[in-house]
Amino acid sequence: GSTTFLFQLGSGIRGFGANCAVFGFQAENPFAADFASAGMPVTTADQRKLIFEDRLAELYRAMADFQPSVVIANLGVDAFELLRYVPNGVRRIGMIHDPGTQDFLPRYADVLDGTVVVNPYWVELGQRLAPNAVCKYLAHGIAIPEESLVRDANPAGPLKLVYFGRFATAKGTRLFPEIVRQLQKRKVPFQWTLYGSGPEEPFLRATLGEPYVAYC
């Protein structure tokens, strides 16, 4: 989700005629081709071969060649650590996407020119955690309409489950077989549709019963 958000943000910035580039501390970026096709080159460092300090130096050199005027740390602690080395004159912005990274605000307040959060409540929380920090809200994801979209229940039909996202361990996909087992144990009829792709797809196809689960 945060990578999708970053792609949309970068595409919007590109729409104003500014240059953007992406730098990552992991060997693989699932949106690398999308970023490249949108005019945003991607540079990655391989965590399987290099320790953090070497990846930091490698990405810093590549970033220095790009000569950014603004650096955005998106989600990860590695990205926030890189902000410590960004020279004066370059604006440093931190993105907070979830409650688990809220402590980044006071921890990195001395190297942040501003912080962007994706929940309006977190602006108030951010001001309590770091009173002198600049914290702004930016709408994230799909807006939820005010009117209710609740449908009438159909207790006579099967429980219908839908998953949208990458098939990766970080997304909790290893829990899916246990969810299926528990539903079957309780004799709950269900249909589960999975929308996405990723490295865990072979595992899911091998462990989830095809009569119950569809892939799209």
Side-chain angles (χ1 to χ4, degrees):
S2 63
T3 307
T4 304
F5 171 80
L6 190 63
F7 174 76
Q8 299 295 345
L9 178 63
S11 297
I13 294 173
R14 287 281 296 154
F16 287 103
N19 291 325
C20 293
V22 178
F23 303 87
F25 282 85
Q26 303 295 319
E28 297 181 1
N29 184 311
F31 282 76
D34 301 277
F35 279 116
S37 65
M40 294 176 277
V42 176
T43 301
T44 61
D46 195 339
Q47 80 281 7
R48 299 164 300 185
K49 299 178 181 179
L50 300 173
I51 62 174
F52 169 74
E53 289 78 7
D54 289 340
R55 285 180 284 146
L56 178 68
E58 185 175 290
L59 292 175
Y60 186 88
R61 285 190 292 267
M63 188 178 293
D65 291 338
F66 181 69
Q67 297 184 333
S69 56
V70 178
V71 176
I72 301 174
N74 189 55
L75 188 65
V77 65
D78 293 348
F80 277 78
E81 282 294 322
L82 187 145
L83 293 182
R84 297 188 185 279
Y85 304 93
V86 174
N88 292 332
V90 178
R91 293 185 64 83
R92 298 161 295 183
I93 306 297
M95 286 291 311
I96 305 295
H97 289 271
D98 61 70
T101 55
Q102 288 172 352
D103 65 328
F104 285 7
L105 187 52
R107 189 190 312 176
Y108 295 101
D110 59 329
V111 295
L112 286 169
D113 296 302
T115 306
V116 177
V117 296
V118 297
N119 184 319
Y121 165 71
W122 293 350
V123 175
E124 177 186 342
L125 178 61
Q127 291 171 345
R128 294 205 306 267
L129 292 173
N132 297 322
V134 177
C135 189
K136 299 292 185 180
Y137 163 66
L138 182 63
H140 183 251
I142 301 172
I144 300 176
E146 294 183 2
E147 65 274 13
S148 174
L149 297 179
V150 177
R151 297 180 298 179
D152 293 334
N154 180 23
L159 174 67
K160 292 187 178 181
L161 308 173
V162 178
Y163 171 81
F164 288 90
R166 294 184 62 234
F167 301 150
T169 54
K171 299 298 183 181
T173 49
R174 289 277 164 167
L175 295 174
F176 291 2
E178 180 60 25
I179 294 172
V180 169
R181 281 192 292 269
Q182 291 299 324
L183 289 171
Q184 292 172 335
K185 179 180 178 180
R186 290 165 172 78
K187 302 186 185 304
V188 176
F190 69 93
Q191 295 175 354
W192 196 349
T193 305
L194 306 180
Y195 293 89
S197 62
E200 287 286 281
E201 184 170 350
F203 165 78
L204 293 175
R205 288 186 178 275
T207 55
L208 300 183
E210 291 287 350
Y212 307 99
V213 180
Y215 297 85
C216 300

